[in-house]
Structure formats: structure tokens, C-alpha cells
């Protein structure tokens, strides 16, 4: 049986940074499920699909095969065979991913792939529904959060470091809108699983959060 850690939480809580670090320290694989929704979203953006046109999205998603692979220890997401890692991090793609992920048909296909992968791979998987739906039997479940102000500031710093101009207040509003959509959708909303450990990273460093998760792993073992 494989060893699985589930990490859920809102956008910008630090899930991917932390999960990558924990994966490295434990020698297990990091699986970023958001990248799968983003790849699907990229396909919809390329096809100029209206994010509110559910029927069209369901029809288009039958044309899409999203798969994950690993190259040089890094996750690669393929959209119909094309490596789209470099194209899925834009805000526009994240917003489309959040919009299409409310649709059950979109989720069904991706969740099945995630479950198949986790069944044969020791991994730490992050997303919104990992502890509640994808891996209800995970060995450890973490719900990682931080205040929307802190998350917006982190995103702001990330973008300004890349030389992109941005507005902190707008980022905060976008984050809160995305949280609301992710938490209030009918299918698999973002919520803390009953048996998940809550970690608030607002006033913690990356290393402190990673250490905390590693200590929970030891306790569980
Ligand atoms: O984690 P992220 O920002 O890359 O995710 C992008 C969007 O995909 C997010 O707003 C909601 C959706 N998502 C989801 O519904 N379920 C997951 N397991 C992962 C992401």
C-alpha cells in the first residue's frame, strides 16, 4: 500500500511550496492537482469558451486528455500530449480553472486519475478536495490556510519580484472571490476534512510549516 498525504486549502496558502519541500525531505512524489484543472482551463481559453457555458465545457472536456508525468524530479502536466507547464500559471488560467472546476463532469475524470496515481505512488497531493473526496483514507490530512491579507501580500510580492505591475487590493479581492467560489460550489467544495489537521501559515515561515507537517507524519507513524 502506498503512503499518501493530503493537503487542502485556499489559493495562496503556500500548499505547493510546502508540499514540494515535504516531498523532497521525505523522498516521496509531489502531486499538484490544481495543475490538472489549469491544463483543462487552458484548453477552454484556447477555444474561447465562455466560463459560464456549462454545456459547452462538458462537451469540450471530452476532447481533453490531461496527464501527469515527472521529469528531473519535477511534475509535468500534459494537455493532449503537450507539456503545458509554462503556460498554466497566469491569473487568467487560474480564474478559468476555478470556474470550470465547479462542474461535476470536469472533476470526475481528473479525480479518477489522481486516485489511480496515489494508489501506486507514495505522494503528497495538494488541491481543494483531496482529504474530503480524492483520498478519504489518506495517512495524513493537512488543511493549510492563511488570512486573505497575507495571501494577497505573498502573491503581490511574487508578481512584483517578476517585474509585473499589480494592485494589492485587487489581488485581495480576486483571492476572496476565488475562495468563495471554491468553498460554495455544489460539487466537492473546499472544506477541512473532519480528520484533517489545521495549520495556519499566516505568521509562520515555509520551514516552520514544513517542520510541523513532518512532525505530524512522525506522530502518525
Ligand atoms: O491550486 P490552484 O490555484 O492551482 O488551483 C486552480 C483552481 O483549480 C482552483 O481555484 C480550484 C481548482 N481546483 C479544484 O477544484 N480541485 C483541486 N483538487 C485543485 C484545484
Amino acid at each position: 500500500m502506498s503512503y499518501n498525504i493530503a493537503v487542502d486549502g485556499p489559493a495562496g496558502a503556500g500548499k505547493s511550496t510546502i508540499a514540494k519541500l515535504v516531498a523532497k525531505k521525505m523522498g516521496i512524489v509531489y502531486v499538484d492537482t490544481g495543475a490538472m484543472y489549469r491544463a483543462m482551463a487552458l484548453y477552454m481559453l484556447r477555444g474561447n469558451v465562455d466560463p459560464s457555458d456549462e454545456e459547452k465545457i462538458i462537451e469540450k472536456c471530452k476532447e481533453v486528455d490531461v496527464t501527469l508525468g515527472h521529469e528531473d524530479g519535477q511534475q509535468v502536466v500534459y494537455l493532449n500530449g503537450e507539456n503545458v507547464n509554462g503556460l498554466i500559471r497566469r491569473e487568467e488560467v487560474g480564474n478559468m480553472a476555478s470556474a470550470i472546476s465547479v462542474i461535476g463532469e470536469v472533476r470526475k475524470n481528473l479525480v479518477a486519475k489522481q486516485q489511480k496515481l496515489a494508489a501506486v505512488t507514495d505522494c503528497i497531493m495538494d488541491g481543494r478536495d483531496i482529504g474530503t473526496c480524492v483520498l478519504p483514507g489518506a495517512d495524513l490530512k493537512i488543511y493549510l490556510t492563511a488570512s486573505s491579507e497575507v495571501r494577497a501580500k505573498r502573491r503581490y510580492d511574487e508578481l512584483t519580484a517578476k517585474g509585473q505591475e499589480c494592485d494589492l487590493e485587487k489581488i485581495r479581492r480576486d483571492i476572496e472571490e476565488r475562495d468563495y467560489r471554491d468553498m460554495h460550489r455544489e460539487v466537492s467544495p473546499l472544506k477541512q476534512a473532519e480528520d484533517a489537521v489545521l495549520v495556519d501559515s499566516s505568521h509562520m515561515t515555509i520551514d516552520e510549516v514544513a517542520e510541523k507537517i513532518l512532525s505530524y507524519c512522525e506522530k502518525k507513524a
Side-chain angles (χ1 to χ4, degrees), residues 11 15 32-35 37-38 89 94 97-98 101 107 114 126-130 178 182 185:
K15 298 186 298 292
D32 168 11
T33 62
Y37 291 90
R38 284 172 181 266
R89 292 294 149 201
S98 172
S101 63
R107 309 196 66 81
Q114 292 154 12
D126 82 3
R128 303 293 190 287
D129 59 339
I130 311 304
R178 173 114 70 104
D182 292 348
R185 65 184 182 214

